[in-house]
Amino acid sequence: MKKIFLLFSVLLPFSAMAQRHYDPILVEGRTWVYDYHHFEVINEETFQYEETVSKIYYTVMGDTVINGKGYRKVYRRGGSESRMTFFRAYREEGSHVYGYLLNSNEEYLLMEFDHQRFAETVLHRYRNSIEEVDSIFVNGRRFCRHQYVEKIMGFPSVFLILVEGIGFVDNGLILGMDYIRPNCVCDYSTFRECYDGDELIFRNTDFKAESASGIGSLTVSPVRHQETLFDLQGRRLKEAPQKGIYIEDGKKKVVPTDKKIK
């Protein structure tokens, strides 16, 4: 009986982690703060330039409906902008986060907390990645962290970190996965910190906080809605295409151009 009790005590945290629910990111009043780095060239011949850093704020405020789907509105202020202006619309579905570009009238996949699908849609260059999930406690709150690891020269290397409710390391929510800091002397932004109202809840350095769950090697996927279809750019498809390549259930499907899907 004692052995059974000990076994149950060991397995309980794993079971609880596997059954947990995804923590939403589009919370009313949540604000992401970024450092915007601006460069002015002083002398092109001697490569002299002046750098200034200003804060940019992005806040979830209200909602709207676009093409029959509900979105949360995000407003921007800071830098040269003295008042809040509408920036972009976002929506969550399960563990997917989508952005909507009004000028192009299209939706794009911004975030996905499942390496099996993420590797196919966005992280296609990291085919052999492993998703490790654990918990961290920051400012009295528990956050679920996803670390994407691959072996380089036989040693594990973390190449991407996401935290539910916050977003990507260095990029937060607004910059998303595809943003890469330029390696030239040119303007760029980096995620700084996140607030709920006036309460600081997370800093960029907190992505690498010490694990509080003790089960960093456990790989699980959050509770999600029914699977959907995507093209290679991560955009949702209403139905499978009659030709070409698309993603279904995290796997690449190829439809020959001279054949139709049965």
Side-chain angles (χ1 to χ4, degrees):
M1 178 65 74
K2 185 175 182 180
K3 291 182 178 180
I4 294 177
F5 175 76
L6 290 175
L7 179 61
F8 177 77
S9 299
V10 172
L11 292 178
L12 183 59
F14 290 84
S15 176
M17 189 71 177
Q19 297 299 321
R20 66 173 183 80
H21 288 277
Y22 165 75
D23 297 323
I25 192 169
L26 298 178
V27 178
E28 180 71 18
R30 184 158 294 177
T31 298
W32 289 261
V33 183
Y34 290 80
D35 282 332
Y36 177 70
H37 299 254
H38 176 68
F39 296 87
E40 291 286 348
V41 177
I42 299 175
N43 190 315
E44 292 185 358
E45 295 182 355
T46 60
F47 298 101
Q48 288 181 291
Y49 58 87
E50 182 180 56
E51 178 186 5
T52 58
V53 181
S54 58
K55 289 184 180 181
I56 307 293
Y57 300 80
Y58 298 87
T59 302
V60 179
M61 294 179 60
D63 48 38
T64 186
V65 176
I66 303 174
N67 296 331
K69 297 177 181 178
Y71 289 82
R72 305 306 304 271
K73 295 188 291 185
V74 173
Y75 287 80
R76 166 184 166 136
R77 66 179 174 89
S80 60
E81 301 171 343
S82 59
R83 61 186 182 85
M84 301 190 73
T85 58
F86 176 74
F87 172 69
R88 194 165 296 166
Y90 295 89
R91 74 180 182 90
E92 278 181 282
E93 182 177 329
S95 60
H96 301 71
V97 179
Y98 299 91
Y100 192 90
L101 299 174
L102 293 178
N103 56 353
S104 61
N105 195 33
E106 69 174 348
E107 182 179 77
Y108 63 96
L109 178 64
L110 179 73
M111 191 177 302
E112 168 55 75
F113 289 89
D114 179 358
H115 85 283
Q116 292 293 345
R117 178 175 297 282
F118 214 23
E120 293 286 351
T121 57
V122 181
L123 302 180
H124 48 81
R125 60 191 181 276
Y126 300 114
R127 293 294 185 183
N128 299 317
S129 64
I130 298 174
E131 179 190 28
E132 295 185 350
V133 182
D134 62 1
S135 294
I136 56 176
F137 281 90
V138 179
N139 295 322
R141 298 191 182 198
R142 172 196 170 280
F143 292 91
C144 182
R145 176 173 61 186
H146 300 245
Q147 299 186 84
Y148 295 84
V149 183
E150 66 176 354
K151 286 189 176 181
I152 300 177
M153 302 295 289
F155 296 95
S157 175
V158 177
F159 65 86
L160 180 66
I161 306 175
L162 299 92
V163 169
E164 293 184 12
I166 303 298
F168 299 92
V169 62
D170 295 330
N171 292 1
L173 164 71
I174 303 302
L175 298 180
M177 170 60 216
D178 293 332
Y179 179 82
I180 299 176
R181 183 190 300 185
N183 58 6
C184 59
V185 180
C186 43
D187 295 0
Y188 68 91
S189 297
T190 52
F191 169 67
R192 177 187 178 96
E193 54 203 13
C194 187
Y195 290 80
D196 269 352
D198 295 328
E199 179 187 359
L200 173 64
I201 62 172
F202 204 91
R203 292 186 175 91
N204 193 50
T205 53
D206 294 325
F207 279 97
K208 298 181 180 180
E210 183 178 351
S211 175
S213 63
I215 52 174
S217 61
L218 176 63
T219 300
V220 298
S221 295
V223 176
R224 62 171 60 255
H225 291 190
Q226 185 177 359
E227 299 293 353
T228 51
L229 305 175
F230 294 90
D231 64 14
L232 294 181
Q233 285 71 49
R235 293 174 297 198
R236 178 190 292 275
L237 300 175
K238 294 182 179 179
E239 58 183 15
Q242 296 297 308
K243 61 181 179 180
I245 304 174
Y246 66 100
I247 307 300
E248 181 180 11
D249 197 22
K251 298 180 181 180
K252 184 182 296 183
K253 300 292 183 70
V254 180
V255 182
T257 56
D258 58 344
K259 294 182 179 180
K260 293 185 177 181
I261 299 176
K262 296 181 178 180

